Amino acid sequence: MDKKLKIYIGLLVLIVLGIFYVESVKPKEINWYPSYAAKHKIPYGTYVLHKEMPSLFPKSEVKDVYQNPYVYLKDDKNNGTYFFLDNKVNFDKDELNQLLEFAERGNDVFIATNGIHLDTLQIQTSYLTTSAFEEKAYQKMSNPIFGGKEYHFDRDFSKLYFSEVDTLNTTVLGELVVRNENDSIISKKPNFIKVNHGQGNFYLHTFPQAFTNYNMLLDSNYEYVANVLSYLNNQQKNETGAGGGSNSRSAILWDTYYKTGKSRITSPMHYILSTKSLKWAYYIGLIGVLFFIIFKGKRNQRLIPVITPLKNQTLAFTRTIANMYYEKSDHKNIAEHKINYFLEYIRIKYRLSTLNIDERFYKNLANRSGNSEEKVVTLFKKIEQIQLKSSITEEDLVALNKAIEDFKAYKKQ
């Protein structure tokens, strides 16, 4: 290994080590992905709420449900409050029917999402827009018992509210309040409602961000979450249970199926790259293989033989003829070479033997070359005359060359 290669490898190692160092010491970027998964501690995860659920519902059991509602609610022994929390929740027809039956027999369904379609409950949602130059949105409970306190979420979000509801079966529990730069209320819309259905209820909320880690730890916003969930707490059938005996314990059924950030392993490589330790192990392994190829390949590489390119024999032949002509003026020798080259030309181009130069040969050559038989005979008579002479003049050589070139030129026409 030469000195120059060692310098390059050393620089490569320093660059790789520098990249590792920078990656290890630089501040980790905040992940604002709307996960809503209970295992995630990122701002839009729900790790804090999930951990606090047992304290918010001390008389209830918190169960994680990993199946879709249609499969899980097939067993009618599953009762309590089905808790849905995600960016978007869209049930298919069978799932919605199961949830409706679940509520009809005295259970509750809580859904906090930025988008949902529940035409069966006769509700519609819309997005609130205002003309205020600077606006702030607040969440507020409607019941005066909560003191009318407003809670502010300091990040942008879609201001979804309930534009149409079934007034006979719906109760407004919370509102979205929008204020302008002068702190004056410019809009107030319902964003938390209760819809009666059978013996149970649907609790619908259009601001799922309120239940995320970021909002729970922002100022006193956890109070708002506790106020919202207090409606569920008051509805627990702690003594008789929904559809159960006197000793049954109601449950909070925490949905983990409808979660944007739920665990998905689409491929082994996806799993490796999604885990920090495995990802760096994979990269280090690739770098190790690269070094192995560089050093091992250079050590064991077989020598590549040097192939000398073929010499240009045509150029050598031309130089030989030129020397003979200009230096020695050996016209006879030049003519002999010219004749031999011409006979070789006939053998290759027209596939004719030149051993016997007779009438049959003249006829075949005339037919294949396109020249007249008379022209062919005249040319070969001239060749024969030159071959019989011991020496020839320059004029004889020029005449021979012209006759041969005329013969070839006719073929090219």
Side-chain angles (χ1 to χ4, degrees):
M1 184 185 300
D2 57 12
K3 184 177 180 181
K4 190 174 182 181
L5 181 59
K6 290 180 180 179
I7 294 174
Y8 288 153
I9 294 175
L11 290 175
L12 178 62
V13 172
L14 289 176
I15 292 172
V16 172
L17 293 178
I19 293 174
F20 284 165
Y21 175 74
V22 171
E23 289 292 331
S24 62
V25 300
K26 76 175 183 180
K28 189 176 181 180
E29 294 183 1
I30 298 176
N31 183 2
W32 291 100
Y33 178 70
S35 163
Y36 296 96
K39 68 176 183 177
H40 289 166
K41 298 181 181 180
I42 59 179
Y44 283 166
T46 55
Y47 175 82
V48 175
L49 177 61
H50 188 269
K51 186 177 181 180
E52 294 298 323
M53 288 294 277
S55 62
L56 293 171
F57 301 96
K59 296 182 179 181
S60 302
E61 180 185 5
V62 180
K63 295 181 179 178
D64 291 338
V65 180
Y66 298 94
Q67 298 170 308
N68 65 62
Y70 176 77
V71 175
Y72 185 75
L73 295 180
K74 277 291 187 180
D75 184 359
D76 57 7
K77 294 181 181 180
N78 294 319
N79 295 297
T81 299
Y82 215 138
F83 194 89
F84 293 92
L85 175 60
D86 194 38
N87 191 41
K88 300 288 184 181
V89 178
N90 293 309
F91 304 113
D92 61 30
K93 183 178 180 181
D94 294 330
E95 291 175 339
L96 182 56
N97 289 335
Q98 284 291 349
L99 288 172
L100 293 172
E101 293 179 7
F102 178 73
E104 281 181 359
R105 61 176 187 259
N107 298 291
D108 294 332
V109 178
F110 180 88
I111 304 174
T113 179
N114 286 319
I116 189 171
H117 299 284
L118 293 176
D119 296 336
T120 307
L121 300 179
Q122 301 181 26
I123 63 170
Q124 295 292 330
T125 58
S126 300
Y127 288 98
L128 176 63
T129 57
T130 66
S131 58
F133 180 72
E134 291 184 4
E135 63 178 27
K136 283 189 176 182
Y138 298 86
Q139 314 297 320
K140 178 184 176 182
M141 302 299 293
S142 299
N143 196 325
I145 196 174
F146 296 108
K149 185 176 179 179
E150 297 177 354
Y151 300 88
H152 177 58
F153 184 74
D154 62 1
R155 292 188 65 83
D156 291 334
F157 62 93
S158 56
K159 300 172 181 63
L160 190 71
Y161 69 95
F162 295 103
S163 55
E164 295 183 16
V165 297
D166 180 6
T167 55
L168 296 177
N169 297 309
T170 303
T171 304
V172 176
L173 303 179
E175 297 172 321
L176 171 65
V177 180
V178 180
R179 296 179 179 273
N180 60 15
E181 59 272 15
N182 297 324
D183 205 32
S184 299
I185 297 177
I186 58 176
S187 184
K188 184 186 294 185
K189 300 292 183 180
N191 72 337
F192 178 36
I193 61 174
K194 179 181 76 171
V195 183
N196 300 326
H197 187 77
Q199 300 180 33
N201 307 283
F202 277 84
Y203 292 89
L204 306 176
H205 203 294
T206 62
F207 184 54
Q209 292 91 334
F211 306 92
T212 59
N213 299 328
Y214 180 80
N215 188 70
M216 291 281 290
L217 301 175
L218 179 64
D219 300 329
S220 59
N221 286 5
Y222 64 89
E223 295 177 358
Y224 175 76
V225 176
N227 294 339
V228 170
L229 299 184
S230 66
Y231 282 98
L232 306 181
N233 197 28
N234 291 336
Q235 295 295 325
Q236 297 304 311
K237 283 73 175 177
N238 294 321
E239 295 182 359
T240 60
S246 60
N247 295 325
S248 64
R249 187 185 181 196
S250 60
I252 300 295
L253 308 175
W254 180 283
D255 169 70
T256 61
Y257 181 82
Y258 278 103
K259 286 289 184 291
T260 304
K262 70 179 180 180
S263 299
R264 294 182 179 91
I265 299 177
T266 57
S267 66
M269 186 57 66
H270 179 272
Y271 176 74
I272 291 174
L273 297 180
S274 62
T275 306
K276 184 176 181 180
S277 56
L278 292 179
K279 178 177 69 174
W280 281 109
Y282 174 72
Y283 290 153
I284 292 172
L286 288 180
I287 294 172
V289 171
L290 177 62
F291 280 125
F292 176 81
I293 293 174
I294 293 174
F295 292 105
K296 194 73 174 177
K298 186 174 181 63
R299 183 183 297 271
N300 294 339
Q301 185 178 12
R302 291 182 298 176
L303 294 176
I304 300 175
V306 178
I307 300 176
T308 304
L310 297 175
K311 294 181 179 180
N312 191 339
Q313 300 296 337
T314 303
L315 182 61
F317 174 78
T318 303
R319 287 174 178 172
T320 302
I321 298 300
N323 290 334
M324 292 173 62
Y325 181 76
Y326 288 109
E327 296 178 8
K328 300 180 180 180
S329 297
D330 191 352
H331 301 137
K332 171 66 176 179
N333 198 3
I334 295 174
E336 291 291 343
H337 281 87
K338 189 71 176 178
I339 293 170
N340 291 335
Y341 180 76
F342 177 62
L343 294 177
E344 180 68 16
Y345 171 82
I346 293 174
R347 289 192 293 269
I348 294 175
K349 294 295 181 181
Y350 304 120
R351 306 297 183 187
L352 291 175
S353 173
T354 57
L355 293 177
N356 297 318
I357 308 298
D358 51 16
E359 294 295 331
R360 183 178 179 183
F361 173 81
Y362 296 148
K363 185 177 182 179
N364 289 336
L365 181 59
N367 291 333
R368 297 190 184 187
S369 66
N371 290 278
S372 64
E373 185 174 347
E374 180 181 358
K375 186 175 182 180
V376 172
V377 172
T378 302
L379 173 60
F380 276 87
K381 291 298 182 182
K382 186 181 293 293
I383 291 174
E384 182 180 2
Q385 292 174 2
I386 291 177
Q387 288 176 333
L388 293 175
K389 294 180 180 179
S390 58
S391 62
I392 61 175
T393 63
E394 181 177 351
E395 289 75 12
D396 294 333
L397 179 60
V398 172
L400 173 64
N401 181 73
K402 185 177 184 305
I404 293 176
E405 294 300 323
D406 288 344
F407 176 86
K408 292 180 179 181
Y410 188 86
K411 173 64 173 56
K412 295 178 182 179
Q413 292 178 355

